[in-house]
Amino acid sequence: MRPAVLLLLFLAASVNAENIIIPLGQQGSSTLQMPVNGTSRSSVLERFGLPDVEHPPVGSPRMTRWDYRDFSVYFENDRVITSVRNHQPRYPTSRPEQAQP
């Protein structure tokens, strides 16, 4: 009798289940040019210009992040250790404060 009750409880719970749909995104354009590993900080400045945001160095060894519109660059001391595309939502949503009346 106990397994039958558990089965009924399980079936009742699954009837009330809700599907949650999360919009898919993409990691920017696959043709986006970004600094390659080992590039010097001065070369990044020459090619891509000043970053939108320059985060202060942290940790040991000193790690710095520069944020551009479409990507971020991570430096260890004076050299690029990686560049990462910023997330670009496939279906942008507007926030309530941005909604037009």
Side-chain angles (χ1 to χ4, degrees):
M1 170 126 170
R2 189 174 184 108
V5 171
L6 290 175
L7 179 62
L8 285 174
L9 287 174
F10 175 74
L11 290 174
S14 65
V15 169
N16 293 326
E18 179 182 352
N19 287 334
I20 298 175
I21 299 172
I22 300 172
L24 295 176
Q26 56 189 9
Q27 284 300 113
S29 168
S30 60
T31 60
L32 179 65
Q33 296 294 314
M34 297 186 302
V36 296
N37 296 357
T39 305
S40 71
R41 193 180 300 239
S42 59
S43 295
V44 172
L45 277 173
E46 274 182 36
R47 179 146 187 227
F48 298 97
L50 291 171
D52 298 326
V53 178
E54 184 175 340
H55 298 272
V58 295
S60 180
R62 306 304 276 169
M63 307 288 275
T64 306
R65 184 177 94 210
W66 288 0
D67 293 334
Y68 291 88
R69 189 182 85 188
D70 295 321
F71 60 91
S72 294
V73 183
Y74 293 83
F75 294 93
E76 182 178 308
N77 298 319
D78 186 46
R79 297 289 171 178
V80 173
I81 56 170
T82 193
S83 297
V84 181
R85 289 183 191 100
N86 295 336
H87 174 75
Q88 302 294 321
R90 183 176 292 172
Y91 305 108
T93 58
S94 62
R95 295 185 180 161
E97 65 270 8
Q98 295 174 340
Q100 299 296 326

